[in-house]
Amino acid sequence: FSWCFLLKPMSALRIIMLTATSATALFAFWCLGIVHSTTAFVRSSLSTTISLQKSQSPTIGIVRTRQVPGAQATTKEIPSEGGAGSHMATASHSLRPLWPPLEALSSWASLMTTLIVLWAYAVVQCLRGPRPDPWQAKSWDGHAKYQSMASTTGEAKPAPWSPEAAPSSSKLQSSFTGMPCDVVIVGGGPAGLACALSLAQAGITNIAVLETKLNYESMDWVKSYCYRIDGHGMKWIRAAGLEEKFKEVACRNPDVLTVLTPDGNTKGVASIMKDVHQETYWLWRNDLLQFLYGQLQELYPNAVTVHFGAKCMGLEQLPAGGVGAPLAVTVQETLQDGSHTTSFHTRFVIGAEGARSLVRDRLEAWDADCALRELPHVSTGLPFKALNITLTADVAPTWSFAIIKGLNGESLGLFPQRANRVRLVGCVRQPGNALMQVASPDKLFEYLKENWPQVDWDEALTAESAAAFVTGTPSYFPPITYSARFQVTTGPQGQHQQLGPEGGICLVGDALHCFPPDLGQGVNAALEDVHVLAQAMAEADNRVGRALPLYEQRRRDNVYAIAHLLPIGVPYQYPLPFTPKKLLWYIDFLVRVLGHKLFPFAINQPIAFDLQNPKYEYSDLLGKHRDTTRCFQVSGLMAVTGAALLYKAGVGFGVTLGIVGLGVLATALLLGAAMRRGVAKGYA
C-alpha cells in the first residue's frame, strides 16, 4: 500500500524506480537465502561430534555420532576389541541438502510472489480511472461560530489610545454617484488595494474599492501586528514596479536575533530559520496599507476610488439576456447623519474582505463547491495582544528582531521597526495566562518588572499604552479554512470594451484561504493570489470570462497546499502544553533536518526552511514533504519485513540489526533520490 502512494502521480520514472527497487530487494533476499543454505550445507557435511560415554561394562566404549539436520538417528552396538564390553555407535542417515541456490529459491519464491503482487497492485491502482478529488473535503459547519466569536471579541472595545491616529469622524456625504462601476473590490486590505493597482496598471478604469474603515491612519495598537514580506509577496511587488519604493518604508530582515537575558546581557544569535535564498522585509500592517493607498493616489487617481466607511451588504446576479452589467452590489455607507444604502451594477467583483467574506457566502449559495473547507490546527483560538513599547538602540537595535527572555520561562518578541518609532511586542499566550488576565495597569507594570527585570518598564511603557493593553480585547487566531472553488463567471450579457461580454466573481486573500500566522504566509499568499490573477487577466486580454477559469486553474493546487502546510510547518512555536503529537512533531523535524544534512540528495529538509524561497510554489513544498514521508513509510515497511525474515532464518540479533539498518538506509536513499528528481507540483 505504501508503494501504491509512491506512484502518485503516475510517471514512467517512478514505475522504473519501483521496479528496480523491487528487483534489488528480491536479489538481496535471494543472496541471504543462499548464504543461509550454504551454511547449513557445510554444517551437515562436516559436523561430527565425538563424545565419550561410560558403558555398562567396565570397559570404556567410544561412541561416534553423526548428526544431519532433520535425520533419524540410529544406534548400533559394536563389540569392543578387549571383549569386556562394547561401544555404542550412533549413526544418522539423511538425504543430502539441496544445492544452496535451489534451496534459497524455494523459500525466495514466496517472497517474490508477494512483492510482485504488491507491485502489480500499485500499478493497477495508479492506472485506474480518475482518483477522488482531494478538494471534496467535508464542509466545516463551525465557521459561523468563529464569525460570532470574532465579531464579539474583535470589535467590542476599541483601544482608547492610538498615537499617530487621525480623527475617525464619519463622512459628511456619500462618495457614490449611482453610476455603474466596471470593477468592485470588496475589502480595502492589502489584497484589495493590490488588486486595484494591478487592474489599473492593465488599463482598466472605473474601479471601486469598498473599505469599512474610515481611513488608513488610525490604528488599534492592541491588535496591531507586523507583516513579513518574503519572496512570494515580492513577486507581485516587483511585477508592479514598486520594489525600490517599498524598500524605503520596510525593514530588511535581520541576519541575527537579539536576545535579552534576565541578567541584562545582550547577545546576537543566528536564526536557524533564516532563509538564504531571498531577502525578506518587515513592516506594520498600517504602513503597508498607507503605502499601497499612496501609490494608488499618486499613479491612478482617476482610475481607482477607495470608498471609506462602505460595507458590502448584498451581491446578486441579474437575469441573463440584458445589455448592462450582470451583477448588482448593495453598499451601506456610514455617514454623519446615519447610514446610507446605495445599489449599483458592475461586471467584475473581487472578494477581498477577509475571513468573514460576504462575497464568498454568495458564491457558496450559487455553487456548493465554493463552501469552506476546514483543517484542525493546534494554534486555532489562541489569543493575541500587542504591547507597544520604546527601547533604546543599545538595548534592542531598531532594525533587529529581539527576544526578551523572562524569569518565568516566557519570552516577549519585538518586531523590527524603523528608527524613532515604537516597537510592537507580540503576546501569544494560552487562554487564562497571567499576562492576559492582568486587571489594571499597575498590576501590568508589577508583572512585567517581576518577570522581565532587564527592561526599564517605567521608561519603555507609558501609562496610556498599559491601560490600552489591559482594557483592550485580544484577537484570536482563526482556524485553517480554504475554498475549493473561488470563481464564478456569468453568461454573456452585453459587450464591454475592456472586460468582454461575461462578468465574474472571484476571491483573493483571506476570503479564499485563512489560517493562523504560524508561517507568516497570510499576506504573502494574498499578494501571490493577486499576482496570478493579474497574469491571467493579461493573458486573456482582460476578458473576465476567460481570465477567471485560468486564475483558478493555476492557483488551485497552491491554495490547497498552503492550507495543508500549516499543520506540518512550525505549529508548536507558541507556548502550548506538552502532548504526544508535539513530541512526534519535534522528532520528525529533527530526523528531516539531520537526514538532509547527511543525505541532501535524497532527504528533503523541513518545509519551513524553503518556505520563503520563491523558487518553490506551495504545492512544490507540500509534494517534497510528502515524498520524504512516503520514503520513510516504505523504509519502515522494509525494516519490519527484513527483520522478520532474518529472524526466521536464524540470523543473530547483531547481524540482523546491521543488515536491516543498511537495507533501510539504502532503500530510503534510493527512493528519496528518485522522488527528488520527479515533479512535485500537482501532488496536492
Side-chain angles (χ1 to χ4, degrees), residues 40-63:
F41 182 84
V42 173
R43 286 179 178 177
S44 66
S45 302
L46 302 179
S47 176
T48 300
T49 303
I50 300 178
S51 61
L52 297 178
Q53 295 183 355
K54 188 173 182 179
S55 177
Q56 297 294 334
S57 63
T59 306
I60 299 176
I62 300 176
V63 179

Side-chain angles (χ1 to χ4, degrees), residues 220-451:
D220 186 352
W221 288 83
V222 177
K223 298 181 184 133
S224 301
Y225 48 90
C226 281
Y227 284 143
R228 184 187 67 183
I229 310 296
D230 60 25
H232 296 279
M234 291 299 294
K235 288 181 184 178
W236 176 83
I237 293 176
R238 291 192 177 95
L242 303 176
E243 183 177 6
E244 296 303 322
K245 294 181 179 180
F246 174 77
K247 290 180 179 180
E248 295 176 1
V249 300
C251 300
R252 186 180 181 275
N253 192 57
D255 296 331
V256 297
L257 303 177
T258 302
V259 180
L260 284 70
T261 57
D263 57 5
N265 293 326
T266 302
K267 59 181 180 180
V269 179
S271 173
I272 63 171
M273 306 303 292
K274 178 182 179 296
D275 185 82
V276 299
H277 305 286
Q278 185 73 26
E279 290 184 357
T280 57
Y281 299 89
W282 292 83
L283 77 168
W284 284 342
R285 183 177 191 273
N286 266 42
D287 287 346
L288 180 60
L289 293 176
Q290 292 178 33
F291 169 74
L292 296 176
Y293 181 64
Q295 297 306 306
L296 282 174
Q297 295 294 96
E298 176 183 346
L299 301 175
Y300 310 105
N302 299 321
V304 181
T305 303
V306 179
H307 301 273
F308 292 103
K311 181 178 181 180
C312 180
M313 301 300 294
L315 175 61
E316 300 295 337
Q317 292 192 52
L318 299 178
V323 294
L327 300 170
V329 179
T330 302
V331 179
Q332 184 182 69
E333 287 185 282
T334 302
L335 306 176
Q336 283 189 349
D337 58 353
S339 298
H340 175 70
T341 302
T342 303
S343 295
F344 55 91
H345 295 174
T346 185
R347 188 168 294 273
F348 186 17
V349 175
I350 301 176
E353 70 268 52
R356 291 170 282 170
S357 172
L358 180 138
V359 177
R360 186 191 57 242
D361 293 341
R362 297 303 300 152
L363 284 179
E364 181 179 353
W366 298 331
D367 188 342
D369 289 339
C370 296
L372 281 178
R373 307 303 194 246
E374 179 263 349
L375 296 175
H377 193 47
V378 294
S379 64
T380 295
L382 286 179
F384 168 83
K385 275 188 177 183
L387 184 67
N388 44 89
I389 64 177
T390 303
L391 293 178
T392 57
D394 58 331
V395 176
T398 304
W399 297 85
S400 71
F401 192 101
I403 298 177
I404 308 175
K405 296 287 187 178
L407 295 175
N408 58 355
E410 298 180 1
S411 299
L412 301 176
L414 270 72
F415 296 107
Q417 185 52 271
R418 290 177 292 157
N420 302 321
R421 303 192 72 180
V422 298
R423 306 286 293 274
L424 290 180
V425 178
C427 302
V428 181
R429 298 292 186 272
Q430 283 285 328
N433 182 270
L435 181 60
M436 296 294 187
Q437 298 296 318
V438 288
S440 65
D442 292 337
K443 292 290 185 180
L444 177 61
F445 275 101
E446 180 181 341
Y447 182 80
L448 294 174
K449 292 178 180 178
E450 178 182 354
N451 292 285

Side-chain angles (χ1 to χ4, degrees), residues 446-465:
E446 180 181 341
Y447 182 80
L448 294 174
K449 292 178 180 178
E450 178 182 354
N451 292 285
W452 292 276
Q454 65 269 45
V455 177
D456 185 357
W457 291 105
D458 292 327
E459 293 291 333
L461 183 64
T462 64
E464 293 84 357
S465 179

Side-chain angles (χ1 to χ4, degrees), residues 123 170 212 237 346 354 405 413 540 558:
V123 174
S170 302
T212 57
I237 293 176
T346 185
K405 296 287 187 178
N558 287 314

